[in-house]
Amino acid sequence: MQRSSLKSKKVKEQEIAVRKAWRSTYKNSYEEGLHFLLQGLNAEEFSTDKVLHQIRDKTPIQYILKKWFFYDGEYILDNHVLIPRPETELLVDHIIQNFSDCSTILDLGTGSGCIAIEISKKLLNSKVTGTDISKKALEIANTNNLQSSNPVNFILSNWFSEIDECFDLIVSNPPYISEKEELDESLKFEPQSALISKNEGLFDLEQIISQARHYLSEGGALLMEHGIDQESALTQKMLNNSYKKIELIKDLKGINRFILGYK
Ligand SMILES: C[S@@+](CC[C@H](N)C(=O)[O-])C[C@H]1O[C@@H](n2cnc3c(N)ncnc32)[C@H](O)[C@@H]1O
């Protein structure tokens, strides 16, 4: 038997086994997940046994495939980084539409690097820096960085601890889920340090608001993603820290999801 027909026989057998495992785990729900999984599995070689085990375990397909799409890029992932979310694409879009004249941009808590790298690819005259407290996350971000012709400078830092310059724009999608919240089953695969924050989910957002002013150029902007119903507390924190022109921005579901303020 020729090599190509041997391969296609193996792919077909894998597809049948994957469909079977999927149906027994998810029944007839989440059909789009099966579709994306089969597409990804056909493009590269995977161990069938491992994939079947992951399906039964309900591992997110993004971690099974070890990559996912975000904005205009494809991002390598592992369980040290958050799976990039569609709502965060709006944050990138907002920056590209409204902050294209910024010379220096800082992305705090960069994870896979998706926000920083997409910005660097579109705003070729901006110098983009990304930070994270996780060394493993930065290894992934640095691999993803190869897709940008204007590479991001990634720095290991506890929020601003290793930062010693000012930026025209500081952006962040920090952890904002309350430790009291019962996590959806799918979130249990993601790094908890990327998701959970103390003080009803507000601790890290508030830390960033109070520290960012020292690292913003005059007139510079702070733009952050946040959780549902956190906007009043964050607006108050921004007012207390003398930010101006505070603006709330909604996601595609009409929920307040981003907060913007200027120094
Ligand atoms: C919600 S994830 C966002 C990841 C990525 N920016 C995205 O939007 O997909 C939050 C990130 O913040 C990082 N992080 C948490 N605490 C941090 C800290 N004190 N200093 C720097 N980064 C932190 C986590 O490691 C994680 O990568």
Side-chain angles (χ1 to χ4, degrees), residues 238-256:
M238 276 207 168
L239 288 170
N240 293 346
N241 281 272
S242 309
Y243 285 85
K244 297 177 205 135
K245 296 191 279 174
I246 298 165
E247 201 183 313
L248 299 176
I249 302 163
K250 293 184 193 305
D251 64 17
L252 290 176
K253 292 182 189 149
I255 297 168
N256 283 320

Side-chain angles (χ1 to χ4, degrees), residues 22 44 50 69 75 90 94 99 109 115 129 131 136 148 159 174 181 185 192 216 230 237 239 244 258:
W22 192 272
E44 275 172 57
K50 188 167 176 204
F69 308 97
Y75 283 80
L90 282 184
H94 192 86
F99 292 97
I115 298 174
T129 303
T131 67
K136 298 256 188 199
S148 179
W159 297 137
E181 203 172 305
E185 205 179 351
Q192 302 303 287
L216 279 174
Q230 291 178 329
K237 185 77 181 174
L239 288 170
K244 297 177 205 135
F258 311 101

Side-chain angles (χ1 to χ4, degrees), residues 70 80-85 88 91 107-116 131-134 137 157-160 172-176 191 193-195 204 225:
F70 179 81
H80 297 291
V81 297
L82 190 90
I83 298 166
R85 302 294 204 271
T88 309
L91 188 73
D107 171 32
L108 292 169
T110 200
S112 62
C114 60
I115 298 174
T131 67
D132 207 285
I133 200 169
S134 159
S157 178
N158 180 355
W159 297 137
F160 294 94
S172 186
N173 173 22
Y176 55 67
S193 53
L195 294 169
D204 289 291
E225 183 172 324

Side-chain angles (χ1 to χ4, degrees), residues 61-77:
I61 56 167
Q62 296 87 341
Y63 287 146
I64 299 179
L65 297 172
K66 300 198 182 82
K67 63 182 177 191
W68 199 238
F69 308 97
F70 179 81
Y71 205 74
D72 264 351
E74 194 175 277
Y75 283 80
I76 291 170
L77 303 173

